[in-house]
Amino acid sequence: MACRISELVLDCAEPERLAAFWSEVLGYVELGREDDGSIEIGPPGAGFGGPQPTLVLSPGGAPRTGKLRLHIDVNATDRDQDAELERLLGLGARPVDIGQDGTETWHVLSDPEGNEFCLLRRRLAPLAPPGCE
């Protein structure tokens, strides 16, 4: 293997707000802050370089227009898709219509700043905490 995704960087208007949202969605914790206002979040006990990429919420300039060229897909680990959808909506996610026909097995949502992501149907096993492999 040549490379691994170590972190994803998302430019945003309100890093604090998105860090809180994505921390709740993913079960992440704050790992650090930079002088430019960026906030890095990641899995507790693992952090940067662990089995999952960290997420860096970075203050961006102009608001995004148009479709994102990259989006995040998430899967529930401890409940079914319907229960996870309700949880995500309760955290501030919003349904997004990007032309779905109603036969999809996933839900298209947006985070509080309008960045699209999908909740997939299949439940994934949670990752073992570091040191418990």
Side-chain angles (χ1 to χ4, degrees):
M1 177 181 344
C3 289
R4 246 181 35 182
I5 295 175
S6 57
E7 62 186 18
L8 301 171
V9 179
L10 183 60
D11 290 343
C12 56
E14 298 180 56
E16 192 83 39
R17 181 178 182 202
L18 279 194
F21 174 80
W22 283 107
S23 289
E24 286 294 323
V25 169
L26 300 171
Y28 278 15
V29 296
E30 185 176 310
L31 300 174
R33 292 175 181 248
E34 297 294 326
D35 291 339
D36 70 354
S38 295
I39 302 172
E40 184 173 19
I41 61 173
F48 180 82
Q52 295 175 276
T54 62
L55 189 57
V56 177
L57 295 307
S58 180
R64 178 183 66 82
T65 59
K67 185 177 189 260
L68 290 173
R69 294 187 72 177
L70 174 73
H71 73 265
I72 297 172
D73 287 342
V74 298
N75 297 70
T77 60
D78 62 351
R79 64 198 80 199
D80 67 21
Q81 185 187 43
D82 290 339
E84 184 63 2
L85 176 62
E86 289 305 312
R87 186 181 82 87
L88 295 176
L89 293 172
L91 293 173
R94 296 179 306 275
V96 176
D97 181 359
I98 59 168
Q100 303 94 304
D101 65 15
T103 62
E104 295 81 10
T105 60
W106 61 87
H107 295 277
V108 182
L109 304 167
S110 68
D111 70 17
E113 288 199 9
N115 301 300
E116 292 95 1
F117 68 99
C118 293
L119 171 61
L120 305 183
R121 175 180 290 182
R122 186 172 159 209
R123 185 186 303 184
L124 296 179
L127 292 175
C132 296
E133 292 86 37

